[in-house]
Amino acid sequence: MLVVAGGIIEENGLYLIAQRKKDDAYGLRWEFPGGKLDEGETGEACIVRELKEELDIDVEVLSLFDEFIEDELTILYYRVNRVSGEIALNEHEQALWVPVN
């Protein structure tokens, strides 16, 4: 079973989404940024690590928002709060702040 964590970051009524790099699996698709859990890693630790690696931001985990399970994939969506750092595009084509609708 593949387990990944995604971070839902809300600031000023907008939510951060990121576009995967063109050559990645699912290239150019939009996502809540995050990634695969390492062996023995919790979802909370994973999303903190992944957002630092992918976006160069430090976050605190607020809560588990939702869990999506299908076949051999589980996605854990966490509400997170950006504590510090400016958004860098280390692993994405672009990132946008969008309204919920």
Side-chain angles (χ1 to χ4, degrees):
M1 166 95 41
L2 176 63
V3 182
V4 300
I8 301 171
I9 305 169
E10 182 267 332
E11 293 183 9
N12 302 315
L14 300 175
Y15 294 84
L16 183 71
I17 58 172
Q19 187 180 39
R20 297 178 66 92
K21 285 195 174 181
K22 176 175 45 175
D23 298 330
D24 285 353
Y26 306 104
L28 299 179
R29 288 196 181 174
W30 290 92
E31 65 180 3
F32 291 113
K36 299 177 198 169
L37 273 71
D38 288 340
E39 188 173 331
E41 186 176 43
T42 66
E44 291 88 348
C46 174
I47 197 59
V48 169
R49 175 183 55 77
E50 286 284 345
L51 293 178
K52 183 63 174 179
E53 291 173 5
E54 291 186 1
L55 301 175
D56 202 24
I57 60 173
D58 297 304
V59 299
E60 64 179 340
V61 177
L62 301 174
S63 63
L64 178 64
F65 175 74
D66 200 6
E67 185 174 351
F68 172 83
I69 301 171
E70 183 177 282
D71 299 324
E72 298 294 315
L73 172 67
T74 297
I75 305 174
L76 305 170
Y77 291 102
Y78 289 95
R79 289 182 187 264
V80 298
N81 183 45
R82 176 167 47 159
V83 175
S84 65
E86 295 299 319
I87 304 296
L89 297 176
N90 298 329
E91 299 292 328
H92 295 91
E93 291 286 330
Q94 60 181 321
L96 296 174
W97 292 97
V98 298
V100 72
N101 59 353

